C-alpha cells in the first residue's frame, strides 16, 4: 500500500517535470499547474493528451491559445471522467448514448487548430490569475455553446444540459469536499 503510493508519487513528479519542460514557461504557477495535471493523469482522472495539434495564428494568438487550451482540456477531461460513470449507469439508452457523444465532442475540441477559435470560445472568458474553481466553472459554462455548435457540426443530437448539470454538481461537490464543509 505504502509502496504503491510512493510509486504513484514518483510517477506524478516525473510526469509533472515532463509537462513543465514541454510548456517552456518556468514559473511557480506553471509548476503548480503541471503538478496538478500530472496527479490527475496518474490517478486516471484525466487522459493524457500527448500530441496536441499545432495551433495556427499569429505568434501572440498561438501563445494565448496554448495557455487557454492547457487550462480548458484538463477541466473538460476531469469533468467528463467524473460524470461518465453516472451517465453510463443510466437506465435510459438515450442517456447512455450521450456519454459517447460527449466523448466525441471533447475529442473534436482537442483537434481544433485555430488559435482564434480557442481565444474566442474560451480565452476571452478566462482570467489570467483565476483560481482553479473559477476556471473550471467558466470552462463548464462556456462549453455549453461550444458543445452545441460541435454537435451540430458532427450531426449529433446531444443534451448539453446533461453535461452542464452533472458537471456543475461534480464541481460543487468537489469544492465542498476540498474546503472541508
Amino acid at each position: 500500500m505504502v509502496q504503491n503510493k510512493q510509486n504513484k508519487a514518483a510517477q506524478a513528479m516525473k510526469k509533472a517535470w515532463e509537462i513543465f519542460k514541454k510548456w517552456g514557461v518556468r514559473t511557480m504557477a506553471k509548476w503548480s499547474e503541471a503538478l496538478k495535471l500530472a496527479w490527475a493523469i496518474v490517478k486516471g482522472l484525466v487522459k493524457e493528451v500527448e500530441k496536441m495539434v499545432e495551433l495556427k495564428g499569429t505568434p501572440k494568438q498561438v501563445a494565448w491559445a496554448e495557455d487557454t487550451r492547457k487550462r480548458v482540456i484538463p477541466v473538460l477531461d476531469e469533468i467528463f471522467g467524473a460524470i461518465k460513470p453516472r451517465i453510463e449507469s443510466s437506465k435510459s439508452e438515450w442517456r447512455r448514448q450521450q456519454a459517447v457523444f460527449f466523448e466525441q465532442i471533447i475529442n473534436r475540441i482537442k483537434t481544433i487548430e485555430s488559435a482564434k477559435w480557442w481565444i474566442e470560445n474560451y480565452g476571452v472568458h478566462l482570467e489570467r490569475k483565476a483560481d482553479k474553481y473559477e476556471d473550471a466553472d467558466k470552462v463548464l459554462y462556456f462549453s455549453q455553446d461550444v458543445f452545441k455548435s460541435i454537435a451540430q457540426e458532427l450531426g449529433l443530437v446531444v443534451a448539453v444540459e446533461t453535461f452542464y448539470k452533472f458537471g456543475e454538481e461534480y464541481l460543487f461537490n468537489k469544492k465542498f469536499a476540498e474546503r472541508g464543509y
Side-chain angles (χ1 to χ4, degrees), residues 16-35 59-60 62-68 70-71 128-129:
W17 183 244
E18 290 170 11
I19 293 167
F20 187 66
K21 286 193 308 188
K22 192 185 309 181
W23 287 350
V25 179
R26 309 281 171 144
T27 65
M28 287 305 293
K30 286 295 180 187
W31 171 248
S32 176
E33 280 182 53
L35 196 53
K60 282 186 178 182
V62 169
W64 187 3
E66 282 286 347
D67 182 55
T68 300
K70 287 174 190 164
R71 292 166 68 186
R128 290 282 181 212
K129 295 186 178 183

Side-chain angles (χ1 to χ4, degrees), residues 26-125:
R26 309 281 171 144
T27 65
M28 287 305 293
K30 286 295 180 187
W31 171 248
S32 176
E33 280 182 53
L35 196 53
K36 288 173 189 171
L37 178 57
W39 267 111
I41 291 168
V42 168
K43 289 179 178 179
L45 298 174
V46 176
K47 293 179 188 170
E48 187 171 0
V49 183
E50 279 295 329
K51 297 181 181 169
M52 286 199 212
V53 295
E54 188 173 327
L55 294 174
K56 294 182 172 118
T58 68
K60 282 186 178 182
Q61 285 177 324
V62 169
W64 187 3
E66 282 286 347
D67 182 55
T68 300
R69 184 168 65 172
K70 287 174 190 164
R71 292 166 68 186
V72 169
I73 290 176
V75 170
L76 291 177
D77 282 341
E78 179 183 354
I79 291 170
F80 181 66
I83 69 173
K84 184 178 179 182
R86 183 173 173 192
I87 295 170
E88 288 177 335
S89 68
S90 172
K91 292 179 182 175
S92 163
E93 176 62 34
W94 182 82
R95 182 167 270 173
R96 287 193 304 268
Q97 185 64 39
Q98 294 299 299
V100 174
F101 292 164
F102 293 144
E103 191 163 22
Q104 288 175 346
I105 291 169
I106 291 170
N107 288 336
R108 173 67 183 104
I109 289 170
K110 292 176 184 179
T111 64
I112 293 174
E113 297 175 333
S114 168
K116 182 181 175 189
W117 183 92
W118 283 98
I119 293 166
E120 287 176 349
N121 286 284
Y122 290 106
V124 295
H125 306 295

